[in-house]
Amino acid sequence: MLVHIKDIVKKAEKGKYAVGAFNVHNIESVLGIAQAAVRAHSPAIIQVSESTIEYMGVKPITHIVSTAAKNIAAKVPIALHLDHGKSFHSVSECINAGFSSVHIDASEFPLDENISLTKNVVSVAHAKNVWVQGEVGAIVGGHGQVSGFVKGIQLAKLEDVIEFVRATHVDTIAAAVGTAHGVFKNEDIRFALLKKIVEKTKKTPFVLHGGSGIDDLKIKRAIREGVRIINIGTDIKVAFSKTLIRNCIKNKKETDPRHLLKPTIKAVENVVYKKMRVFGSAGKA
Ligand code: 13P
Ligand code: ZN
């Protein structure tokens, strides 16, 4: 069922587990996540990036997610969230479309500009009962990249995160703590920084970006430190694309797109199901 993100996150806070925020790119990834949520009996956040909106249109993706939540995942809570909204325009588009949460990512700007843009979004979003995620310290990398080292991982400054949360009243907070978008050898979680941020911003659930490529033990430790949402994008892209490529090579003469695409739904389901078990959200729906 489609619910407000706060219902999912508040329960995760109480139960001290994390909920996956899974990026979708097409209808197959939505179906795979919905099926995983049912199989794991787990809540899930389905998140849409600006590039997915560009690809499918905000209305089609909103309706696809809502329909999957209502019909496939009727008995488990699913929330719809905008991931890395870069402008007031895209955030407003999603608020108007019925998302219950939006991420305004102005982390590349100086702190005062980040605060000011985020505050504007918070005032518009809260008036419509929509949650806002803010971000301090840009998270580098590229979704879908899966090898080598990434340059320029920077860490958010603790004082900046405290000031940002205090000034903006965001509902969830993302900050650069050593992970990157994609899977890289040099990404990691700086636990000392994460711990301090969580301690000082206790009432604002922490969102870990760049969840792909971080080993399960570290993810579990981050959850013990208080992480409540974990973003997973690259692992879903990779599962989808590898399966599709393999299936196309094996069935070069196939002309029915459904036969070519069907295994990708299961591949996404399997990846997401495993994450739900690691995050502790399995069985919590
Ligand atoms: P990964 O692609 O590393 O899983 O990161 C996802 C993410 O942070 C989406 O905002
Ligand atoms: Zn991210």
Side-chain angles (χ1 to χ4, degrees), residues 86-108:
K86 291 283 186 183
S87 67
F88 199 79
H89 168 76
S90 52
V91 164
S92 309
E93 203 181 18
C94 293
I95 293 173
N96 293 333
F99 286 43
S100 64
S101 175
V102 290
H103 173 199
I104 176 69
D105 175 8
S107 60
E108 77 256 39

Side-chain angles (χ1 to χ4, degrees), residues 112-140:
D112 55 344
E113 283 176 45
N114 186 357
I115 288 176
S116 140
L117 178 53
T118 305
K119 267 170 89 170
N120 283 342
V121 169
V122 168
S123 72
V124 171
H126 283 184
K128 297 205 166 170
N129 189 31
V130 171
W131 265 24
V132 178
Q133 180 183 136
E135 179 168 329
V136 178
I139 292 145
V140 296

Side-chain angles (χ1 to χ4, degrees), residues 23 47 83-84 103 133 135 139 143 181 208-210 231:
N23 286 86
Q47 60 182 3
D83 185 35
H84 293 286
H103 173 199
Q133 180 183 136
E135 179 168 329
I139 292 145
H143 297 282
H181 292 128
L208 184 70
H209 280 247
N231 284 10

